[in-house]
Amino acid sequence: IKINMVPIRGINADEIEAFAQLSFAYPFHIRFIEYMPIGDTVIGSDRRILASEIKERIETTFGPLNPVAHSSDGGPAQRYRLKGALGEIGLIQPISHHFCTTCNRLRLTANGRLRLCLLSNLQEDLLTPIRSGCGDAELKGIILSAVRQKPMQHNFRGSSADCLKDQMSAIGG
């Protein structure tokens, strides 16, 4: 089980340690994600909490975060384990540390589009070919062609002017 938390000052920043503590009682993967102003956002960058602060707060309360070996199914998280914990702590850093070159994620949107990057408008329509009766081989070709177009980096610089206007619920986040 993975639990994602996006810490934001004035909203839930006081819960960082409580979320981390869950890793002692349960084999959960607790993921702390830096806030990304995607869509119509009203949260300013002054309320964002970067991974370095999250890590410092967890280590101050619970002790050192010990790195966990990266695996292909680990996604973009830098993974850690606290001594004596059953679960893991992960830090996802789209603002302070671009991880694009190691990203292996694609998203299927609610309207049947394959989004190649969370922070890009590049997407491939899968719904139309499927509804038109394309076979598995043709669909595989469409997907593989799209994957070859996956960007090597995003252009997100942290200001709302640089962000997508799509809402996370429409993107698949």
Side-chain angles (χ1 to χ4, degrees):
I1 295 173
K2 289 183 188 173
I3 299 174
N4 291 339
M5 180 191 192
V6 180
I8 301 170
R9 290 185 213 292
I11 296 178
N12 62 355
D14 60 329
E15 299 174 351
I16 291 172
E17 292 82 358
F19 271 78
Q21 190 168 16
L22 289 171
S23 71
F24 286 102
Y26 305 98
F28 296 162
H29 292 218
I30 311 299
R31 300 289 196 248
F32 295 94
I33 305 170
E34 293 176 339
Y35 174 75
M36 298 173 284
I38 293 176
D40 297 327
T41 182
V42 295
I43 297 173
S45 62
D46 59 321
R47 296 178 66 191
R48 182 181 302 136
I49 301 176
L50 298 179
S52 57
E53 180 180 341
I54 296 165
K55 185 177 182 190
E56 181 180 322
R57 287 178 57 173
I58 293 170
E59 289 186 320
T60 297
T61 304
F62 301 109
L65 283 164
N66 302 304
V68 173
H70 188 75
S71 63
S72 62
D73 64 349
Q78 288 187 329
R79 297 167 48 207
Y80 302 92
R81 189 177 305 276
L82 291 161
K83 185 177 181 181
L86 299 172
E88 291 184 5
I89 302 293
L91 299 173
I92 300 177
Q93 307 172 67
I95 306 299
S96 63
H97 177 73
H98 288 207
F99 49 77
C100 299
T101 58
T102 60
C103 178
N104 61 0
R105 300 296 198 221
L106 302 171
R107 291 171 183 264
L108 183 60
T109 67
N111 62 354
R113 298 191 181 281
L114 185 65
R115 184 174 285 270
L116 306 175
C117 171
L118 177 63
L119 299 171
S120 168
N121 285 316
L122 289 174
Q123 38 189 342
E124 184 67 40
D125 178 23
L126 298 181
L127 183 63
T128 302
I130 290 171
R131 287 198 172 157
S132 298
C134 82
D136 290 347
E138 184 181 352
L139 185 60
K140 178 180 176 181
I142 293 168
I143 292 170
L144 289 176
S145 177
V147 168
R148 285 192 276 283
Q149 302 301 313
K150 184 172 174 58
M152 290 303 293
Q153 67 181 19
H154 62 71
N155 294 321
F156 182 67
R157 294 188 234 21
S159 70
S160 59
D162 297 325
C163 298
L164 299 170
K165 298 304 178 196
D166 294 338
Q167 299 300 313
M168 283 295 282
S169 59
I171 294 173

